[in-house]
Amino acid sequence: MKVSRNGSRQTIAALVEDRPGVLTRVASLFRRRGYNIESLAVGTTDEQGVSRMTIVVEGTSEVGDQVAKQLDKLIDVINAAVLDSTESIERELALIKVMARPDQRREILDVVEIFRASVVDLSVSSLIIQITAANETIEALTDNLRPYGILEMVRTGAIALVRGEDTTQVVEFEDDELRRFHMESGRIPTGQLPHLSD
Amino acid sequence: MSKISGADIVLRCLQELGVDTLFGYPGGVVLPLYDRFPQYPDINHILVRHEQAAGHAADGYARASGKLGVALATSGPGATNLVTAITNAHMDSVPTLFITGNVTRSLLGKDGFQEADITGITMPTVKHNYLVMRPDDLAYAFKEAAYIATTGRPGAVHIDIPKDVFIEEAEFSWPETINVRGYNPPSTAEQDSIQQAAEIIDQSERPLIFAGHGIILSDAADDLRKFAEKSGTPVVNTLLGLGSIAPDHVLSYGMMGMHGSYWANHAASNADVIIGLGMRMDDRALGRFEDMNPTAKIIHVDIDPAEHQKNLETHVPIVGNVCDVLKQLTNTVQKATHPDWLSWIDDLRIGHRASMSVPEGPELTAQYAIARIADYIGTESVLCTGVGQHQMWSAQFGAISRPRQFITSGGLGTMGFEVPAAMGAQAACPDRSVWTICGDGGFQMTFQEIGTMVDAKLPVRMAIMNNCYLGMVRQWQELFYDQNLVDVDISQPDFLKIAEAYGIKGIRVDNQEDVDAAIEEAEATEGPVLIDFRVVRQDNVWPMVPAGAALSETIESAEESGMS
Ligand SMILES: Cc1ncc(C[n+]2csc(CCOP(=O)(O)OP(=O)(O)O)c2C)c(N)n1
Ligand SMILES: [Mg+2]
């Protein structure tokens, strides 16, 4: 099973402009500076034009700080910060396909229940189990399922939010043209391009 | 509002930004832009001979003037030829804007003729880049790009424009506001960190300032001097920090680092408090990080928080613009003097003067030629260099006294920088005498730009330190590869014939006696001028901190290095 090499991992949350190339910029930074990404999850936020990345990296808290500062340096990153694990909630979704002969199902279902996971697919000789939990819990569940034979599994990577009412405020654009530039720039315009000679 | 073409919009943007000079080279996709140049006579396009040189010229222009440097290239090979120059400018935090054309939008991503994914290529070597997909976006992109390039920690910004965006029409209005919400360059620092730093400085007995390029980039030389004087702190410079304090100031102790002085390096190793100002704690300046000075308390002022704790653990990281932070610090620290500490360094300087002196003897050395040039041209001139031994000797003997006097490629160490960067500096400073100290190797990388200098009437004085070697590489092979000299004995063309071919004056000097007359003649000539100084071949740069050694392990001579 995959365990961080030195046992320590840092979770970084970044609000980024939803623009072409943002993911490349972030990925390129990690490659260039030699940071090891354990997981990276990207999704929209309730703010139009702003996405949120949750990045888990292997390394000490100094590494986490450097990663956050280097990310923050990217113009398309609005804000990046290392999350304090005690001050934040972190969750990950995993789907695990496990071998399950009919006579083993009961046992496996007990494990599923203990971990508050659920079964989302059943076939003659296998089950797909879904779990939403913190990283360690998912690792523990997979450890418990391994004896039955894990056929396949997929994880979304962690997502996280800081507890309490504090949020990162994102500056809004004053005028519509500016907003359009920010959201559309770098994208091929939709619809027919004007016919211009090349 | 009436519509104008994307090409006109680009030129209107450059006007709005106050750009009056750009260096470029045409090609298919930028032809719509070139087509409009005649309508904008206030923008001087200087046609170079190679795009790399356009980039270095923009870089030299920006370093010499403090203004935004701009270079332009066509798609594909034109754009990829810019990459070295972009990387060079960005690594030394020089405010520059690089504009490239690209293939028509509908052909992007289809590997059309002369398509290169140039925004993908430059992404890791710029502060930011743009692929502008509609003419309506050009004004925002240019305003943002210039703002990003020139503020905070300055750097290179790149704008890529497909050909049909130059052709399509749109309304032009220069945006009043921009909103780069992911970018908030700091100015003053938080008073907490200032207070903390001031307490440490007030209690120090052996404080030392490392003054870097940031002092020059933020026009903080006066602030540096005032702070050093009030706190009684001696100053050493990184290579790019030279000029931030005059060498004859009582608190100025010259260059530290790989080829810094014995006394500067030992002061760095023995200080009890180190104040890094606008410098990035680079390995060439600090030697082996762990042993640079493990007991000193380190205060590190930089506008880029990502530089803090990157290479060296810092006790007080201060994020802010160094000119603002210095004013805050000067207001907060107590007045102090450190006579014992200064006389300790002074004694070292007296005792070790020899390793930082022009070698004695009748031979023509590069050190001698450079010292004579510096003496003759004075501090109002500009001194550029290439990369190698002659660069280090220029740093040591160039008597660099004012900000923006010394133009050299620090972070990337790009040979071939000397000729085009000087050309850019001359374009920025038509009233100054611009000299460039060239390596015979580096000169051969970009001397085609003499053609540009002739056409654009840029009277640069080129002084080749011709040791018939890739000298710095030979030095490393001698010292660290058992004197196994491989591929460093580079052959030379007849440099005077090159001068002749371009129709400029060439002067050859092969002994000390003729040095002054040659310099005088070069200064008196209309220019450009080339001097071929046939210097001794075997000389090495001392002092030296071998790569991976500590500053306290500074070696002062060949004998000491165990090789002679
Ligand atoms: C573009 C580039 N290629 C290679 C190098 C590696 N390098 C550093 S110094 C040097 C020799 C420079 O020779 P020259 O220009 O004659 O200067 P010298 O050291 O002899 O004064 C070389 C090859 C470099 N810095 N830049
Ligand atoms: Mg040479």
Side-chain angles (χ1 to χ4, degrees):
Chain A
M1 182 73 264
K2 194 180 68 174
V3 180
S4 315
R5 258 168 289 161
N6 59 5
S8 64
R9 47 204 289 285
Q10 312 293 325
T11 304
I12 291 145
L15 289 177
V16 305
E17 300 284 1
D18 177 15
R19 259 190 222 157
V22 176
L23 194 57
T24 319
R25 288 181 206 276
V26 170
S28 157
L29 175 93
F30 278 79
R31 176 194 53 76
R32 155 148 149 66
R33 304 257 175 207
Y35 307 131
N36 268 320
I37 304 184
E38 198 172 289
S39 72
L40 185 155
V42 199
T44 54
T45 63
D46 69 335
E47 200 91 36
Q48 214 197 348
V50 178
S51 298
R52 186 173 168 112
M53 292 187 180
T54 310
I55 306 164
V56 178
V57 293
E58 289 176 16
T60 59
S61 64
E62 288 78 37
V63 170
D65 285 343
Q66 258 300 313
V67 172
K69 288 195 285 190
Q70 292 289 352
L71 277 171
D72 222 355
K73 222 165 123 164
L74 297 176
I75 307 290
D76 282 346
V77 172
I78 299 166
N79 174 281
V82 185
L83 300 184
D84 179 338
S85 59
T86 60
E87 297 289 320
S88 56
I89 299 288
E90 191 171 313
R91 289 292 179 272
E92 185 175 357
L93 172 69
L95 295 174
I96 307 162
K97 188 185 285 181
V98 63
M99 249 178 0
R101 295 192 316 269
D103 62 310
Q104 293 176 314
R105 273 192 203 150
R106 192 62 258 166
E107 253 176 70
I108 296 175
L109 287 176
D110 284 347
V111 174
V112 166
E113 197 171 322
I114 289 165
F115 280 89
R116 294 198 212 158
S118 54
V119 174
V120 292
D121 183 64
L122 174 66
S123 74
V124 183
S125 59
S126 72
L127 292 172
I128 296 181
I129 295 162
Q130 167 187 318
I131 180 169
T132 303
N135 175 64
E136 301 74 35
T137 312
I138 297 178
E139 311 263 307
L141 173 61
T142 51
D143 285 347
N144 277 279
L145 292 174
R146 198 162 297 112
Y148 302 100
I150 294 177
L151 296 170
E152 246 182 330
M153 83 176 273
V154 57
R155 297 169 67 158
T156 54
I159 54 172
L161 279 181
V162 174
R163 291 174 197 268
E165 65 218 338
D166 286 356
T167 55
T168 310
Q169 288 299 319
V170 178
V171 182
E172 255 306 303
F173 295 112
E174 302 89 69
D175 75 74
D176 291 346
E177 260 305 288
L178 196 53
R179 180 202 315 278
R180 192 197 56 70
F181 169 65
H182 272 263
M183 315 251 300
E184 301 292 322
S185 101
R187 289 183 213 281
I188 295 206
T190 45
Q192 193 70 40
L193 288 171
H195 205 82
L196 299 165
S197 75
D198 51 12
Chain B
M1 212 190 296
S2 64
K3 292 188 168 188
I4 57 174
S5 72
D8 282 299
I9 294 178
V10 168
L11 291 161
R12 294 281 293 274
C13 288
L14 293 177
Q15 284 179 326
E16 291 288 346
L17 293 171
V19 173
D20 52 20
T21 305
L22 79 161
F23 302 88
Y25 207 87
V29 301
V30 289
L31 288 184
L33 184 62
Y34 275 79
D35 190 48
R36 300 299 297 160
F37 277 141
Q39 270 64 50
Y40 296 81
D42 50 335
I43 297 176
N44 179 21
H45 175 272
I46 296 179
L47 174 65
V48 298
R49 298 297 183 271
H50 187 295
E51 291 86 352
Q52 180 192 354
H56 288 324
D59 182 334
Y61 179 94
R63 291 188 208 228
S65 65
K67 295 197 290 187
L68 183 68
V70 186
L72 167 67
T74 190
S75 67
T80 54
N81 271 350
L82 272 182
V83 172
T84 301
I86 296 176
T87 312
N88 188 78
H90 189 57
M91 246 189 129
D92 286 349
S93 311
V94 181
T96 39
L97 175 62
F98 296 90
I99 306 167
T100 53
N102 212 326
V103 297
T104 291
R105 282 171 290 182
S106 56
L107 288 176
L108 277 174
K110 310 256 164 50
D111 306 314
F113 178 63
Q114 293 194 328
E115 180 185 4
D117 173 19
I118 193 63
T119 44
I121 290 171
T122 62
M123 200 174 273
T125 69
V126 292
K127 192 165 170 186
H128 196 48
N129 63 12
Y130 299 83
L131 170 56
V132 182
M133 285 294 204
R134 52 179 100 221
D136 321 68
D137 290 347
L138 283 166
Y140 285 119
F142 273 84
K143 181 147 183 168
E144 255 191 43
Y147 169 66
I148 291 169
T150 54
T151 55
R153 177 177 180 177
V157 178
H158 166 216
I159 301 181
D160 193 28
I161 306 169
K163 178 179 183 182
D164 56 336
V165 174
F166 285 120
I167 298 170
E168 195 186 333
E169 295 190 336
E171 286 174 2
F172 170 72
S173 67
W174 188 238
E176 273 167 31
T177 53
I178 44 168
N179 179 349
V180 198
R181 54 188 179 178
Y183 176 64
N184 305 297
S187 51
T188 50
E190 308 205 344
Q191 196 55 37
D192 269 9
S193 57
I194 297 288
Q195 205 63 47
Q196 231 183 320
E199 270 162 38
I200 293 175
I201 294 167
D202 289 342
Q203 281 163 22
S204 70
E205 289 171 1
R206 300 183 309 281
L208 184 67
I209 291 170
F210 294 175
H213 201 196
I215 300 287
I216 292 164
L217 292 167
S218 73
D219 290 326
D222 271 350
D223 304 299
L224 168 66
R225 188 180 42 75
K226 286 179 191 149
F227 169 70
E229 285 170 0
K230 182 167 179 196
S231 60
T233 309
V235 182
V236 296
N237 285 124
T238 65
L239 175 69
L240 294 185
L242 288 172
S244 60
I245 187 163
D248 54 5
H249 190 284
V250 284
L251 291 169
S252 175
Y253 286 91
M255 186 169 73
M256 65 184 300
M258 182 171 271
H259 294 292
S261 68
Y262 185 91
W263 56 90
N265 287 347
H266 279 261
S269 322
N270 285 279
D272 65 348
V273 171
I274 286 168
I275 310 160
L277 298 174
M279 49 88 65
R280 57 191 174 84
M281 303 287 176
D282 173 57
D283 57 283
R284 281 292 189 272
L286 265 57
R288 187 166 67 239
F289 295 125
E290 309 86 75
D291 298 314
M292 193 272 293
N293 184 332
T295 58
K297 286 219 161 61
I298 297 174
I299 298 162
H300 186 190
V301 181
D302 204 291
I303 198 160
D304 179 359
E307 290 303 342
H308 292 133
Q309 322 286 14
K310 187 181 74 179
N311 293 338
L312 204 67
E313 203 190 316
T314 311
H315 301 84
V316 188
I318 301 182
V319 181
N321 190 346
V322 71
C323 71
D324 296 315
V325 175
L326 276 169
K327 291 185 183 84
Q328 291 175 285
L329 279 175
T330 308
N331 285 335
T332 317
V333 293
Q334 280 160 18
K335 193 159 174 42
T337 55
H338 301 282
D340 292 349
W341 172 225
L342 291 190
S343 66
W344 185 86
I345 313 177
D346 285 333
D347 286 348
L348 277 188
R349 178 153 64 179
I350 293 161
H352 294 265
R353 183 64 91 182
S355 63
M356 264 286 184
S357 303
V358 172
E360 284 167 14
E363 289 172 311
L364 174 58
T365 61
Q367 296 92 310
Y368 179 82
I370 293 166
R372 294 306 304 147
I373 291 171
D375 190 53
Y376 189 88
I377 68 178
T379 57
E380 286 311 308
S381 307
V382 176
L383 194 70
C384 306
T385 80
V387 168
Q389 294 186 316
H390 65 283
Q391 175 189 33
M392 292 302 130
W393 285 320
S394 300
Q396 293 176 342
F397 303 108
I400 311 303
S401 306
R402 72 171 174 89
R404 307 194 181 285
Q405 180 189 350
F406 188 53
I407 294 179
T408 195
S409 164
L412 199 63
T414 310
M415 280 174 73
F417 182 70
E418 54 262 66
V419 172
M423 179 170 96
Q426 185 75 77
C429 307
D431 300 329
R432 291 187 195 274
S433 170
V434 175
W435 280 71
T436 184
I437 309 297
C438 308
D440 50 309
F443 181 81
Q444 291 189 64
M445 284 193 170
T446 48
F447 73 72
Q448 78 282 345
E449 296 307 320
I450 297 173
T452 309
M453 293 179 190
V454 170
D455 287 354
K457 305 211 165 25
L458 298 168
V460 173
R461 273 92 188 159
M462 292 163 276
I464 305 175
M465 297 301 132
N466 187 356
N467 54 7
C468 303
Y469 265 132
L470 299 176
M472 188 57 95
V473 176
R474 178 189 47 73
Q475 174 165 351
W476 281 53
Q477 290 180 344
E478 282 180 9
L479 295 176
F480 312 118
Y481 292 86
D482 238 355
Q483 312 216 37
N484 184 26
L485 303 194
V486 180
D487 287 328
V488 288
D489 194 349
I490 188 174
S491 79
Q492 319 304 338
D494 182 337
F495 289 127
L496 295 198
K497 289 208 174 117
I498 287 174
E500 193 190 333
Y502 282 101
I504 67 168
K505 178 164 217 91
I507 305 168
R508 176 160 292 137
V509 178
D510 38 30
N511 61 70
Q512 268 189 27
E513 292 70 56
D514 298 338
V515 170
D516 285 13
I519 297 169
E520 210 165 310
E521 187 180 355
E523 275 284 90
T525 306
E526 188 79 17
V529 194
L530 180 157
I531 312 180
D532 178 18
F533 286 102
R534 309 296 304 251
V535 299
V536 292
R537 294 197 74 197
Q538 303 291 346
D539 227 344
N540 285 338
V541 183
W542 303 107
M544 179 171 195
V545 181
L551 289 185
S552 58
E553 293 160 359
T554 303
I555 297 168
E556 292 187 271
S557 66
E559 298 74 54
E560 201 186 323
S561 75
M563 168 258 131
S564 53

